[in-house]
Amino acid sequence: MDDSRPVLPLGRLVLERGLLDEEQLETALAEHLSTGKLLGQVLIELGYLTEDEVNALLEVQRQAVPEPGAQGIDLLRTRVAEAEAEVERAGSDPDDGNGHVLFVWSPSGYALLSRAGEPPSVGSEVGVSGGSQVVVKLGPSPLPGDRRRCAYLAAP
């Protein structure tokens, strides 16, 4: 098998099969990104899926023919690059430690938003385009070399 070919994202599989809702997936992805753990491992640790369910999904993933275009991590890398460019355009130095980043999930992908001041506390509502979301976790910024804190958001 050619391991260099892109695969169908695990998160997409769990949504398509109705195993998780978008909020659960968002929480698991935030944990995955902030800890570096494999998404399947996070899904098991959070109690969302059993080990057998994850293994079955991974087998489906190995056999799937991917759609053309950006997949999973490539899409996230693109979003991170766009966010870094936005930070540079705004004249904010990510290494200065001022402000915070919001990690916003939507059905179309992720967005990183740069904000001034201290990050909001877990459980607080934050206004973002399209409405408001709730802070589910605080962690380090996913941007390389960025010392700011990141508030991971989910739909209320």
Side-chain angles (χ1 to χ4, degrees), residues 20-40:
L20 298 179
D21 61 32
E22 289 179 359
E23 185 175 335
Q24 290 171 312
L25 178 58
E26 180 180 331
T27 300
L29 286 169
E31 180 75 13
H32 158 68
L33 289 170
S34 67
T35 64
K37 293 179 182 177
L38 296 172
L39 179 58

Side-chain angles (χ1 to χ4, degrees), residues 24-109:
Q24 290 171 312
L25 178 58
E26 180 180 331
T27 300
L29 286 169
E31 180 75 13
H32 158 68
L33 289 170
S34 67
T35 64
K37 293 179 182 177
L38 296 172
L39 179 58
Q41 180 182 359
V42 171
L43 293 171
I44 294 167
E45 289 175 0
L46 291 174
Y48 292 159
L49 299 176
T50 66
E51 188 173 345
D52 288 341
E53 289 171 320
V54 169
N55 287 334
L57 289 169
L58 293 175
E59 184 59 31
V60 169
Q61 192 180 50
R62 281 189 282 277
Q63 295 175 5
V65 176
E67 293 180 6
Q71 296 289 318
I73 196 69
D74 293 329
L75 180 58
L76 181 58
R77 284 183 183 132
T78 301
R79 298 286 182 162
V80 168
E82 290 169 356
E84 288 173 327
E86 179 182 322
V87 167
E88 288 175 16
R89 281 193 304 272
S92 173
D93 179 4
D95 289 334
D96 67 6
N98 293 327
H100 62 279
V101 179
L102 299 178
F103 185 93
V104 183
W105 184 86
S106 72
S108 61

Side-chain angles (χ1 to χ4, degrees), residues 104-122:
V104 183
W105 184 86
S106 72
S108 61
Y110 298 94
L112 292 171
L113 306 175
S114 183
R115 297 278 171 95
E118 292 295 315
S121 59
V122 172

